[in-house]
Amino acid sequence: MHSLTPRFILERLVDGQHRGQFAAIVLFVDTSGFTPLTSQLMAHGAEGAEVLADILLSVFGPLIQSVYEQGGFIAGFAGDAFKAIFPLEQPDAPLRALAAAQQIRRHLAAHPSHPTPYGDFDFAVRTSMADDLVDWAIWSHTGSAPVTQSHVYSFFGPAIDQAVQGDALAEAGDMVITRAVADRLRAQWPGVLATDAIVAQGTEIGDYLRVQVLSGPLPAPQPLADPAPLAGADRFFPADLLEATTQGEFRRVVSVFLSIQELSAPHTADTVMPLFFRLLHQYGGFLCPVRRGGGHDRGNPCL
């Protein structure tokens, strides 16, 4: 079964929790190179879809693995980027987020080109880190009629906004961190965060630092164990998608982007989400990841 919903969300659902807040390091990983790849492969139908699926797995697989090997988890994708969260309940979360970012940068720097039957395509990555609060919420369908999607979740808040905002300050190959991340790293690991080591030749960008050189010991990747499965995954995604044997496909769809910026707090969405679930049941649509409107977070909300 594919793991499409963060274990963090499934655990909260099992415990009967539907919203909360916690302190975390957020790592935003933004790749470039998929736009020309997708445009060319779409012209080759099913064979192009298979090639695209292979490239997606080849590029993103090691990046995602780097996050989990350092104790983080993927909160969601935004096109060819993703948000990784390292809860600060782990004492060394800042250092592990830094290690994951460094490993991701090194991997793509060493493997930038991917050959295909339709030509070679190059990829690059930039990363941005922030230290603040993360909010989360789960909304559920309360009607009696069966639906293919009965739950949806969201991560949002200042840590995600700041990490995404820092991405705009980075260029290919860059790592950008907020001043709060730098201060926490310097305070907890002074040997690693010597001024001429972590930010050697670095350039300040407002409240952000561009990290160009890293030195000092960083945590080694930890082996991943297969956790016991949790119930509830089929509430967020259809069961046939969770059990699909194919890696990907192209489909023609109609997307509707909804922006409801008056919802200033997660609990106020409780009056709106039931309507979305009723529409899903009526028209057979699918509700993509939800984000808080008005922030810097880039997401893919659609119905």
Side-chain angles (χ1 to χ4, degrees):
M1 178 175 288
H2 299 296
S3 178
L4 302 180
T5 302
R7 189 173 181 85
F8 176 95
I9 291 295
L10 296 178
E11 289 175 345
R12 300 309 179 277
L13 185 64
V14 168
D15 291 340
Q17 304 177 43
H18 292 88
R19 59 180 53 88
Q21 185 182 71
F22 59 95
I25 302 292
V26 172
L27 170 62
F28 188 72
V29 178
D30 192 0
T31 64
S32 58
F34 278 101
T35 299
L37 172 69
T38 305
S39 298
Q40 291 197 34
L41 293 184
M42 285 183 66
H44 298 280
E47 185 176 350
E50 292 178 1
V51 173
L52 177 59
D54 289 341
I55 295 294
L56 283 168
L57 186 62
S58 177
V59 173
F60 280 108
L63 311 189
I64 293 171
Q65 182 173 341
S66 296
V67 170
Y68 282 98
E69 286 178 341
Q70 293 294 348
F73 67 88
I74 307 300
F77 282 79
D80 52 6
F82 64 82
K83 295 158 282 189
I85 295 179
F86 296 78
L88 284 174
E89 64 182 19
Q90 305 175 61
D92 58 350
L95 201 61
R96 291 200 168 275
L98 190 69
Q102 179 72 337
Q103 186 174 340
I104 286 169
R105 295 167 69 215
R106 286 178 173 172
H107 175 81
L108 266 188
H111 306 87
S113 183
H114 290 258
T116 77
Y118 310 106
D120 295 347
F121 295 88
D122 294 329
F123 298 90
V125 68
R126 56 183 184 263
T127 60
S128 175
M129 290 171 51
D131 171 6
D132 212 312
L133 295 175
V134 171
D135 296 276
W136 62 273
I138 301 173
W139 295 281
S140 60
H141 171 61
T142 57
S144 57
V147 292
T148 57
Q149 181 188 18
S150 62
H151 289 67
V152 67
Y153 68 88
S154 178
F155 289 97
F156 50 96
I160 292 178
D161 285 349
Q162 291 169 35
V164 175
Q165 188 175 18
D167 177 63
L169 305 173
E171 298 179 356
D174 279 352
M175 180 195 301
V176 170
I177 64 176
T178 62
R179 186 183 302 277
V181 172
D183 290 344
R184 186 183 289 274
L185 289 168
R186 290 194 187 101
Q188 293 185 252
W189 296 277
V192 176
L193 301 174
T195 302
D196 60 349
I198 290 298
V199 198
Q201 303 176 4
T203 303
E204 290 197 32
I205 317 172
D207 291 329
Y208 295 80
L209 298 171
R210 179 181 286 116
V211 179
Q212 295 180 334
V213 179
L214 289 175
S215 66
L218 292 175
Q222 300 298 309
L224 299 178
D226 291 331
L230 290 174
D234 58 351
R235 301 182 188 182
F236 297 91
F237 293 94
D240 55 352
L241 181 60
L242 294 172
E243 300 171 359
T245 57
T246 57
Q247 290 291 340
E249 62 181 359
F250 286 132
R251 288 191 181 185
R252 295 188 180 277
V253 301
V254 176
S255 297
V256 179
F257 183 90
L258 303 175
S259 178
I260 310 175
Q261 298 191 13
E262 290 79 5
L263 301 180
S264 58
H267 66 274
T268 59
D270 294 349
T271 60
V272 177
M273 296 306 294
L275 171 62
F276 290 164
F277 284 115
R278 288 199 298 272
L279 293 174
L280 292 178
H281 174 66
Q282 183 175 355
Y283 296 106
F286 183 81
L287 189 63
C288 295
V290 176
R291 68 178 175 88
R292 181 177 178 179
H296 294 283
D297 184 18
R298 299 205 306 267
N300 297 305
C302 60
L303 184 64

